[in-house]
Amino acid sequence: MTTRALTTAALLALFAPACGGGVPIEVRIDEFSFDFGLDQALGTMSTALAASGLLPGGGALPEIWPEALPPIKYTLPLKTDPVPVDLTPAEDSPDYDKYQEINKAGQIVRRIEINRLVLRVEQSTLSVAIPALTLQVADDPTADPADRQAWYSVGKLPGAEPGAIEDIEFEWIPGGETFFNTQLADEFKELAVRAAGEIGIDTAANPNLPRGAAKLRLIVVATFFVEPTKATGAL
């Protein structure tokens, strides 16, 4: 066998594992940062109660529900503002180097393994527990928050006790991991993420209305298996 043939055979052997499973590249994605506050939801609740006549004169919600008013039960829906994420940033972006290895021209992402996915509670002044949350993803980073069809639920988070600073483990729902992986494997890895949940209010059981806010961060550690197709094709 000639020297050229030996060299070619050696290179083909080197790239053979990549053709099957791909070259593994581990990436930490931590751009998913949410402000989880109650002010907007409480404002909506105040408007609804005023319209129903339960708040005399359309006044603001009291910190402690007065005994003079009839007790109420109310479900407070909560959604964080969508967080746009771009894993294919331009060269002048500060995140360009971070994702360069998975965005090189001439290579294909064969598969993705999610090694770790948690919701980190970084700060919390909430007077109530963070409720169980659903993580929702849109494939358009500018998706309309009011467009239900634009958002796909991918997993659930069990919540956390009032004031807790901790990592909350994530649980996929059927089809969620496939949808999320599809967004990460796309040529243009652009998406939006938000969290949704609800808090039940029963003033007979607890007259203190919920207050406060929390800062949450979704952290993803993923392994991208990429195939450098141009390199193998050149051989």
Side-chain angles (χ1 to χ4, degrees):
M1 185 179 290
T2 65
T3 301
R4 178 181 176 82
L6 284 170
T7 302
T8 301
L11 288 173
L12 285 171
L14 177 65
F15 282 111
C19 294
V23 177
I25 300 173
E26 186 175 278
V27 176
R28 177 187 169 97
I29 306 167
D30 55 8
E31 285 80 6
F32 307 106
S33 182
F34 311 97
D35 290 320
F36 187 81
L38 304 178
D39 289 348
Q40 183 176 354
L42 287 171
T44 301
M45 174 181 168
S46 177
T47 301
L49 294 180
S52 68
L54 284 175
L55 283 180
L61 285 172
E63 295 283 342
I64 301 176
W65 194 256
E67 293 183 1
L69 294 178
I72 62 168
K73 289 185 178 180
Y74 194 92
T75 299
L76 201 65
L78 301 167
K79 285 187 177 70
T80 64
D81 291 332
V83 178
V85 178
D86 182 5
L87 304 187
T88 47
E91 291 189 25
D92 57 354
S93 168
D95 291 326
Y96 177 76
D97 290 340
K98 181 176 182 179
Y99 301 116
Q100 183 181 14
E101 287 302 309
I102 61 173
N103 291 316
K104 284 183 177 178
Q107 67 183 16
I108 299 172
V109 176
R110 285 301 182 192
R111 63 188 177 94
I112 299 171
E113 288 183 2
I114 305 297
N115 309 116
R116 186 168 187 249
L117 199 158
V118 298
L119 185 70
R120 176 164 295 171
V121 184
E122 297 185 326
Q123 302 174 22
S124 178
T125 59
L126 289 170
S127 62
V128 294
I130 294 175
L133 298 172
T134 298
L135 186 70
Q136 298 180 330
V137 175
D139 61 8
D140 181 354
T142 62
D144 183 351
D147 183 1
R148 294 183 180 182
Q149 294 185 344
W151 295 91
Y152 190 93
S153 296
V154 298
K156 295 183 178 181
L157 300 141
E161 292 302 310
I165 306 299
E166 61 180 328
D167 287 353
I168 304 172
E169 294 299 325
F170 179 87
E171 180 182 349
W172 296 107
I173 63 175
E177 186 172 10
T178 299
F179 182 85
F180 191 67
N181 284 358
T182 299
Q183 306 310 309
L184 297 184
D186 193 65
E187 180 181 359
F188 299 103
K189 302 173 180 64
E190 298 175 338
L191 61 151
V193 181
R194 72 179 181 186
E198 58 184 33
I199 292 176
I201 295 176
D202 182 351
T203 58
N206 182 5
N208 297 296
L209 293 180
R211 296 292 178 186
K215 181 172 285 294
L216 313 176
R217 183 178 297 276
L218 189 71
I219 298 174
V220 183
V221 179
T223 300
F224 290 72
F225 292 86
V226 299
E227 179 180 339
T229 54
K230 284 189 176 178
T232 56
L235 296 175

